[in-house]
Amino acid sequence: MSDAFEGRTFPKGVLIAVGALLGFTIVMIAFARLTGYMMPQAPFLAEVESRDIRFVEQTDGSMAVRDGASGELIQTLPPGGEGFVRGMLRSMERQRKGFKADISEPFHLARREDGMLTLEDPITGIRLDLRAYGVDNEASFAVFLPSAPVQR
């Protein structure tokens, strides 16, 4: 059996195009790093509903979710429950360690005009679009908004 490509050389035009693309990419990254240029991001739409919320770890392993302004209990997360919420908080807590702040400082939860739900950490400046994590995970934070029914 003979190989169909035996004796054929790889097309030089393809090699030149790939080399040019890689070179252009490296030059653009270097330019952005050296000048500090950043592409503008799409702005977030205005908030239609929001609440500052605090997460307070309880001695029994549960977590109290409280209104940041009034201190009113919104919901109690059972020990080991609500894995997505707890996972997000662990991630945010790691970021806060560099700012010498703990998890009990309030977060800002907002629903935008387009229905997007965002969680913002005013201490670190991180703002997350919760829709990116899936509808079910977004809904696990939506219950903390004022329009959601109060659960205890």
Side-chain angles (χ1 to χ4, degrees):
M1 289 200 170
S2 66
D3 187 3
F5 296 103
E6 189 176 332
R8 293 178 143 182
T9 60
F10 196 80
K12 290 182 181 168
V14 173
L15 289 175
I16 292 170
V18 169
L21 180 63
L22 287 173
F24 177 74
T25 302
I26 291 169
V27 167
M28 294 310 294
I29 290 171
F31 173 77
R33 293 248 178 178
L34 293 173
T35 63
Y37 179 78
M38 293 180 58
M39 294 293 292
Q41 294 181 347
F44 285 98
L45 296 178
E47 297 177 359
V48 294
E49 178 181 29
S50 68
R51 175 183 258 170
D52 288 338
I53 52 177
R54 293 178 189 274
F55 297 91
V56 182
E57 193 73 40
Q58 305 297 305
T59 56
D60 66 352
S62 65
M63 184 173 287
V65 183
R66 298 193 172 273
D67 184 278
S70 70
E72 171 193 0
L73 180 67
I74 300 168
Q75 187 176 2
T76 301
L77 306 177
E82 294 297 328
F84 176 70
V85 173
R86 289 178 181 269
M88 290 297 291
L89 292 176
R90 278 193 298 276
S91 173
M92 299 292 244
E93 187 174 27
R94 270 194 305 274
Q95 296 297 322
R96 282 186 169 190
K97 283 183 180 176
F99 290 83
K100 307 251 187 290
D102 63 16
I103 201 70
S104 66
E105 295 293 320
F107 292 89
H108 186 73
L109 182 65
R111 183 173 312 282
R112 306 283 171 175
E113 287 178 342
D114 61 355
M116 178 192 307
L117 197 64
T118 58
L119 180 66
E120 183 176 359
D121 185 353
I123 293 172
T124 63
I126 295 172
R127 185 182 306 166
L128 301 172
D129 172 7
L130 295 173
R131 186 181 297 163
Y133 298 97
V135 196
D136 293 338
N137 290 329
E138 181 183 33
S140 63
F141 274 93
V143 298
F144 304 143
L145 286 172
S147 65
V150 176
Q151 300 176 5
R152 296 196 192 261

